[in-house]
Amino acid sequence: MAPRTTQWAIPLAVSLGAPVGLYLAFILLGAVPFFQRHFLYAHRFNTLFWHDIDRPEYWGFARNQVTPFSLKTVDGETLYAWHILPLRTYLKHEGILQSDPTALSNDITKTKSFDILRDDPSARLVISFHGNAGHIAQAVRPDSFHTITDTSNYHVLTIDYRGFGRSTGSPSEEGLIQDGTTVVDWAMHVAGIHPSRIVVMGQSLGTAVTTGVVEHFSMQGVEFAGVILVAGFSNLPTLLSTYAGAGFIPVLSPFRSIPPVLRFFQGFIVDKWRSADRLAEIVRLAQTRLRLTLIHAKNDPEIPCHESDILFKSAAKATIDEELDDEQFTTWKEQRTQTRDDGTFISLVETGSNIVIRQELVPYGGHNDVLLSSPVALAVMRSFELDSSESS
């Protein structure tokens, strides 16, 4: 008869060995760029097989409040996009919008919704970049669009990146930034919206796209009404050392206690997404205006809220002439921070009238529902600096 220790040790080893083996297989596959990008972007995980994204009414929009259309990138990809009218504007044109057919537009410039956007010299536009996985209307994304368009006069423009939803191609850092610049170029040069009437906003992966896109235009001297990053991260190698997919699936965090091994695996990451460095460059390039807002939920289970601290530090230090070590910067930030009794806070940096950097830690909202919070809507309003007469 086998010893008692063997009777329980073998099943225990088998039960532990299976998940460990799966994890190691995942890590090894992740070293291959093809699989790594599928793991990172999760762009094939969507609900297109039961959701018709050409029918936005499913998500509670009015008939033809949303116009689905396509955009072409300079490298030949086709991006799927939504233009969403604000309800107040929709109401003024409800008759003709209700009578028009609903379908994917072959030429959005021939639609009533496009005319409404282009012909309004006061139109304000929020360009929204979503996170990884899913499609343009998956999870909380439609609700986040409602949060903006149902209560304001702001239009929303959003896309599925290459490889996501019904957009063609395969995702990469360079490709997604190209997609973002394509939609901003379209807004400025086809729809005729001046950048002073555009807020660029991203959530999660979308914050990295936003920083890449805004840096691109900053180098051309283009400055937007506002830049809003919700649940952002500093760079991908650093994030993956703490990140937990779906809040509980570790990536590289098991190797944090062995720094050489962690650095070894970080070396295989092909898309770095160095948002902290890009934010610093955006601040340095700002000439006449920058309204940068960072929002993170304290209870975010996927991207730790301290990642926004890193982003804020990188952006804020670019406004300071002197070099500050970590301790000195902490003191400097505390002097510009209003801390609440629940541990949340608002930090604010202002340099005259041209640069305003605001970091807000909110208590609830997790990783995704934070998009639906009032601080996000307020950040958009603050970016446009609406007074009471404009917002009525």
Side-chain angles (χ1 to χ4, degrees), residues 47 51-61 82 135 137-139 142-143 146:
T47 60
H51 283 149
D52 182 357
I53 54 179
D54 287 341
R55 298 288 182 181
E57 295 91 334
Y58 178 86
W59 291 276
F61 295 101
W82 274 8
H135 53 64
Q138 203 154 318
D143 290 337
H146 276 294

Side-chain angles (χ1 to χ4, degrees), residues 52-128:
D52 182 357
I53 54 179
D54 287 341
R55 298 288 182 181
E57 295 91 334
Y58 178 86
W59 291 276
F61 295 101
R63 179 182 174 89
N64 286 324
Q65 182 187 357
V66 179
T67 302
F69 68 106
S70 296
L71 290 170
K72 281 285 188 183
T73 67
V74 294
D75 58 347
E77 301 298 349
T78 301
L79 307 178
Y80 184 87
W82 274 8
H83 166 223
I84 310 169
L85 290 167
L87 276 183
R88 294 177 185 176
T89 302
Y90 178 91
L91 184 61
K92 296 177 183 178
H93 306 274
E94 184 176 16
I96 189 169
L97 289 166
Q98 286 278 352
S99 63
D100 280 353
T102 60
L104 174 68
S105 174
N106 293 321
D107 184 355
I108 191 174
T109 63
K110 295 180 179 178
T111 65
K112 179 62 178 176
S113 64
F114 177 81
D115 291 342
I116 293 169
L117 175 63
R118 180 197 56 196
D119 297 341
D120 181 359
S122 64
R124 292 177 174 87
L125 177 65
V126 178
I127 298 178
S128 179

